[in-house]
Amino acid sequence: VSAIDEAATELARLPGIGRKTALRLVYHLLRQPEERVRALARALVGLSERVAPCSLCFNYAERGQLCQICSDPRRDRTVICVVEEASDIAAIERAAEYRGLYHVLGGRLSPLDGVSASDLTVEALVKRVRQGGVAEIILATNASVEGEATALYVQQALEPLAVRTTRIARGLPVGGDLEYADGVTIAQALAARREM
Ligand SMILES: [Zn+2]
C-alpha cells in the first residue's frame, strides 16, 4: 500500500469524509511545508497519548488532570449537568448560560446496542453526589426514547440521596442531538427545566 493510499484510507474513516475528499486532503497535505504535516501528525498522536477522561466528570482532559471545567474555580460546584457524551458539553458551553459542572455518562441506555447501566458512569455520579455539596442535578440527556429512559434511570439511582433533580425542557427537537442544537435553543431548554 502506498503512503498516499494509506493516508487516504485513514482519512476516509472520518465522519463526513468520502474517498474523494480524503484524496483531496492528502494532495493538499503533500503540497504543505513538511513542518505543517508533522505538526498535524503530532497533534493527532497527542489525542490518543495525552487525552483521558477527567477523573471527576469524565469529560475529556489532559491525562492525569481534571478537565478545564472541573479545574475552573469560577464554576458553580453545587450544580451538575448530566450529559450523554463529552461532545454535548461543547454544545451547552456555546449557549454560555450554564456555570455549573458536568457529568458525562458515556452514552445512553440502549438494549438494542447492548448498552446497559453498567456501561455508563451512573455509579460514579451517585458517589459524587453522596460526597455532598451538590444542590441540583440537571439531566440533559437527549430527547430520544433512549435519552428519556436514561434520564429516568439516573433519577431513580439518585432518589435515595434526596438531591433536587431536574430535566431540561423539550425545546429540543425530539430525537435531536444536543450536539447539533443552537445556543439559544439550549439556553431555553435549560431555563425551562422542570422537576423530575
Ligand atoms: Zn471534569
Side-chain angles (χ1 to χ4, degrees):
V1 190
S2 75
I4 288 178
D5 271 336
E6 204 172 89
T9 302
E10 291 307 320
L11 287 170
R13 290 185 211 277
L14 298 172
I17 302 209
R19 181 85 196 164
K20 228 169 121 183
T21 306
L23 271 172
R24 204 154 44 93
L25 290 171
V26 168
Y27 289 128
H28 171 80
L29 289 170
L30 288 171
R31 287 193 300 268
Q32 302 306 304
E34 195 181 322
E35 189 38 47
R36 283 251 56 74
V37 182
R38 284 186 187 280
L40 174 63
R42 268 199 309 274
L44 291 175
V45 170
L47 288 180
S48 59
E49 286 182 351
R50 285 166 38 207
V51 179
C54 171
S55 58
L56 190 60
C57 76
F58 298 90
N59 184 14
Y60 294 123
E62 292 284 314
R63 197 173 289 279
Q65 294 172 25
L66 290 177
C67 73
Q68 282 184 340
I69 293 169
C70 285
S71 51
D72 184 346
R74 291 163 301 180
R75 305 292 299 213
D76 177 359
R77 313 189 85 77
T78 66
V79 188
I80 298 175
C81 181
V82 178
V83 294
E84 292 178 14
E85 306 287 351
S87 52
D88 294 330
I89 292 180
I92 296 176
E93 289 295 297
R94 269 203 306 276
E97 293 280 323
Y98 182 69
R99 300 302 306 154
L101 301 183
Y102 291 94
H103 190 88
V104 179
L105 291 172
R108 62 188 99 179
L109 291 179
S110 177
L112 287 178
D113 300 322
V115 181
S116 65
S118 60
D119 298 312
L120 308 180
T121 63
V122 180
E123 217 168 295
L125 174 65
V126 170
K127 221 166 147 187
R128 261 179 99 177
V129 176
R130 196 172 280 143
Q131 279 167 353
V134 179
E136 181 182 357
I137 299 287
I138 303 172
L139 298 172
T141 51
N142 289 312
S144 61
V145 174
E146 291 95 348
E148 294 294 346
T150 307
L152 197 64
Y153 179 86
V154 174
Q155 187 242 333
Q156 283 166 352
L158 292 171
E159 207 142 50
L161 302 175
V163 64
R164 183 185 177 208
T165 309
T166 56
R167 177 84 173 104
I168 55 165
R170 275 180 166 274
L172 299 169
V174 174
D177 273 6
L178 206 56
E179 201 181 336
Y180 303 114
D182 64 277
V184 176
T185 307
I186 291 176
Q188 283 170 349
L190 269 171
R193 65 187 186 272
R194 53 181 167 72
E195 306 291 327
M196 277 195 79

